[in-house]
């Protein structure tokens, strides 16, 4: 339920009450501040409440932004404010502080402004809406009302609403190839009562159908897959634009949007690999390599962002140079295209699928993403080395959560605690060695499926434990999670490829997909402000070092065919474990409403 209270003298002929009812508010009126206070206190604490001055003149969309956005505990524009249940106590205090009697007219004449200032001082999470060209004002005289109405008539708020439904920062292909028409599709969906989550689900289903078409292995199937993948991306853009257009933000929507992107891309890789196999070409190693590269690249982005989320004294010559380049229009688009964001990536995959073969698709994807990963990682390393910043305990905890260390690494870390210095390069060096020692062994050893490999995995775990034995507050400590991801994922890929039996690489693909989902889920929980997954889940999945140890033991103890079966079983168990817990958490999550603005690269 939502209640709007009009506080002040009524204005004849004003469409305000009709506008409030259009926005879903039950409208009540109060002739003075005392009556308004009584009505505010009478509304149940679990309901959203709005306080609006009857003399308000402005665009409907200005009211919508101020009164219906679910992301903020409280929000305001001149003449209107709202408080969700989280800010109702602060609103009640603000109302209680308004004095009654002579000399208080300046506080009650425009009551909404007084309450807004009080909420701001109370640090109740008040959001002051940036109106841009929209109009929102309190007209105190007929002349002011006439001027305000003329200003409202001069701006088409529907055009503003459509324009702001599109992200202000996006890739070149998305900005010029999708958004010019997808915003109208978003409006069409809004007018028919469709929700962003429904559009997100439609995008997933379309991509799965595209993957099925690619799996046929026929030219017609590949062409259809390319077209369907592009349409899936159109829907993927539409769901976010619909959320912004209709202000239907939610934590569940952010999770679905982000995780479905990964599900669509990985399913499509699998469809291409199956289609290639029908034509006699085995590209499962390339498909798994593309998934590993893409996931590791995202982990670099996530770790860097979390490490610098609330860093103080955040200065860097590299960042200053980047800011200067942003002032030159064409360099902005070139730099956005270089990192191969999701729009450019999916466009490339779709076109190459329709015109070439799966092998060429994966070659292009691996080369393009490798170059993009080198570019972005090098830039972030330079920023980290040249900036002087003090990182917080929150950032250190986020990196520790992203590291996904299991019981074995925790035990080793406790034994190594106190050695080394926080803020040094010890952690990333240890994490690099942990991955490098294992990968060099499995790549170049004649028989990596031996018990010697298990010993190397134990050494890798010892180094991993040393890497996380101190708080991760160093300049390059954000590299620790990416090194761990690369070590785990590539080890699974190489051991499956060296098994050289049918089904080993598809089983490894499923295993890495399940583990990657767990790692993405960790990121989205941290982003949502709800913290990492529970420790029991991390321990149950073994942590990255525990999974590596189990996989190397299975490779050494079993025949190649038995190893394939074990990988499949492990993939199924891990997928069920992380999916059930993830779905349980997100369905019941009380995290603040958000909307994912897209992957960082």
């Amino acid at each position: 339920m939502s209640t709007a209270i009009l506080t002040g003298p009524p204005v004849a002929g004003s469409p305000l009450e009709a506008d409030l009812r259009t926005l879903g508010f039950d409208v009540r009126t109060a002739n003075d501040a005392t009556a308004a206070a009584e009505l505010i206190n009478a509304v149940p604490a679990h309901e959203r409440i709005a306080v609006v001055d009857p003399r308000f003149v402005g665009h409907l969309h200005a009211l919508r932004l101020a009164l219906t956005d679910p992301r903020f505990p409280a929000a305001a524009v001149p003449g209107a404010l709202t408080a969700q249940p989280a800010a109702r106590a602060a609103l009640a205090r603000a109302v209680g502080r308004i004095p009654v009697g002579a000399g208080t007219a300046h506080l009650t004449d425009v009551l909404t402004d007084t309450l807004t200032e009080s909420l701001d001082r109370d640090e109740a999470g008040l959001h002051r809406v940036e109106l841009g060209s929209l109009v929102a004002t309190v007209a105190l005289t007929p002349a002011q009302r006439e001027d305000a109405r003329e200003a409202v008539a001069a701006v088409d708020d529907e055009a503003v609403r459509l324009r702001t439904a599109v992200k202000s920062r996006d890739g070149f292909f998305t900005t010029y190839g999708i958004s010019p028409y997808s915003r109208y599709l978003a409006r069409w969906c809004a007018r028919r009562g469709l929700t962003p989550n429904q559009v997100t689900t439609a995008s997933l289903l379309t991509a799965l159908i595209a993957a099925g078409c690619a799996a046929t292995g026929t030219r017609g199937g590949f062409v259809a897959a390319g077209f369907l993948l592009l349409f899936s991306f159109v829907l993927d853009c539409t769901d976010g634009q619909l959320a912004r257009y209709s202000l239907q933000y939610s934590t569940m929507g952010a999770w679905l949007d982000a995780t479905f992107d990964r599900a669509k891309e990985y399913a499509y890789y699998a469809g291409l690999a199956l289609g290639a196999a029908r034509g006699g070409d085995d590209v499962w190693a390339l498909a798994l390599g593309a998934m590993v590269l893409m996931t590791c690249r995202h982990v670099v982005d996530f770790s860097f962002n979390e490490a610098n989320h609330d860093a103080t004294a955040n200065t860097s010559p590299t960042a200053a140079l980047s800011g200067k380049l942003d002032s030159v229009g064409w360099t902005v688009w070139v730099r956005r295209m270089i990192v191969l964001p999701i729009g450019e990536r999916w466009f490339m995959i779709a076109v190459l699928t329709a015109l070439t073969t799966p092998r060429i698709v994966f070659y292009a994807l691996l080369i393009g993403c490798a170059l993009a990963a080198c570019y972005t990682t090098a830039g972030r390393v330079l920023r980290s080395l040249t900036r002087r910043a003090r990182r917080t305990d929150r950032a250190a905890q986020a990196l520790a959560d992203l590291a996904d260390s299991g019981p074995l690494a925790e035990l080793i870390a406790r034994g190594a605690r106190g050695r080394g210095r926080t803020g040094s390069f010890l952690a990333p060096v240890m994490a690099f060695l942990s991955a490098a020692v294992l990968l060099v062994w499995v790549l170049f050893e004649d028989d990596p499926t031996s018990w010697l490999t298990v010993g190397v995995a134990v050494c890798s775990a010892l180094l991993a434990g040393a890497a996380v034995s101190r708080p991760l507050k160093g300049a390059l400590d954000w590299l620790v999670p990416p090194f761990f991801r690369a070590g785990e994922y590539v080890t699974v890929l190489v051991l499956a490829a060296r098994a050289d039996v049918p089904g080993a690489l598809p089983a490894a693909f499923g295993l890495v997909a399940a583990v990657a989902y767990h790692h993405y889920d960790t990121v989205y929980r941290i982003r949502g402000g709800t913290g990492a997954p529970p420790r029991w889940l991390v321990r149950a999945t073994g942590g990255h070092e525990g999974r590596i140890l189990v996989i190397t033991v299975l490779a050494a103890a079993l025949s190649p065919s038995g190893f394939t079966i074990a990988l499949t079983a492990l993939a199924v168990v891990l997928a069920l474990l992380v999916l059930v817990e993830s779905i349980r958490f997100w369905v019941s999550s009380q995290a603040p409403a958000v909307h994912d603005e897209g992957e960082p690269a």
Side-chain angles (χ1 to χ4, degrees), residues 507 510-511 514 565-580:
L511 176 60
I565 295 172
L567 282 182
T568 304
L570 188 59
V572 171
V573 170
L574 284 176
L576 288 175
L577 188 62
V578 298
L579 276 173
V580 169

Side-chain angles (χ1 to χ4, degrees), residues 214-215 267-278 281-285 287 358 362 509:
Y268 195 79
Y269 292 171
L272 285 174
L274 289 170
R278 287 180 177 271
D281 190 13
D282 186 354
V283 297
W284 275 106
F362 285 123
F509 187 96

Side-chain angles (χ1 to χ4, degrees), residues 495-560:
L495 289 178
R498 299 287 292 272
D500 198 25
V501 293
L505 281 168
F509 187 96
L511 176 60
V512 172
V515 175
Y517 175 87
H518 168 57
H519 292 144
Y520 278 109
D521 188 53
T522 301
V523 168
Y524 301 132
R525 292 195 196 208
I526 294 173
R527 276 183 170 184
T530 56
R535 286 304 302 169
W536 71 260
L537 179 65
V538 177
R539 293 189 178 100
T541 58
H544 69 94
E545 81 290 347
R547 289 187 296 269
I548 290 174
L549 193 57
V550 168
I551 290 167
T552 55
V553 168
L554 292 174
L558 301 174
S559 65

Side-chain angles (χ1 to χ4, degrees), residues 329-493:
W330 66 270
T331 66
V332 175
W333 293 118
V334 169
R335 291 164 64 217
R336 290 184 190 179
M337 293 172 69
I338 286 175
V339 302
L340 205 64
I342 189 169
E344 277 75 359
R345 189 166 71 247
W346 282 29
F347 177 73
M348 180 185 74
I349 293 171
V351 171
L352 291 178
T353 299
L355 299 180
T356 63
T357 65
R359 180 172 288 273
I360 293 176
V361 172
F362 285 123
Y363 280 152
L365 190 60
L366 286 166
I367 293 171
C369 288
L371 292 174
C374 291
Y375 170 78
T376 55
T377 304
R380 290 184 168 121
V381 169
L382 285 174
R383 289 191 182 200
S384 300
L385 291 174
T386 56
R387 78 185 352 155
R388 296 182 181 277
R390 181 173 299 171
R391 290 166 179 83
T392 63
D393 291 336
R394 177 205 171 279
Q397 185 58 53
L399 290 179
D401 293 333
L402 290 174
D404 191 33
S405 299
L408 181 57
E410 285 181 338
L411 181 63
I412 296 167
R414 281 197 293 269
R417 195 151 288 155
R419 303 173 187 177
R421 183 170 58 86
T422 299
S424 69
F425 295 121
L426 180 64
V429 168
M430 290 294 102
F432 172 77
L433 291 175
S434 172
V437 165
L438 185 61
L439 293 181
V440 169
W441 177 269
V442 297
L443 282 168
F444 298 106
E445 170 63 20
D446 291 336
D447 181 19
T449 60
S450 67
W451 290 103
L452 284 175
T453 304
V454 177
V456 175
V458 172
C459 293
S460 175
L462 290 171
L463 292 168
V468 295
S469 62
R470 300 289 300 222
L472 299 176
K473 294 185 178 182
L476 296 179
D477 284 2
W478 56 269
L479 286 170
V480 170
F483 284 144
F484 287 165
R485 296 297 81 77
E488 179 181 2
Y489 296 162
V490 178
T491 296
V492 175
L493 190 162

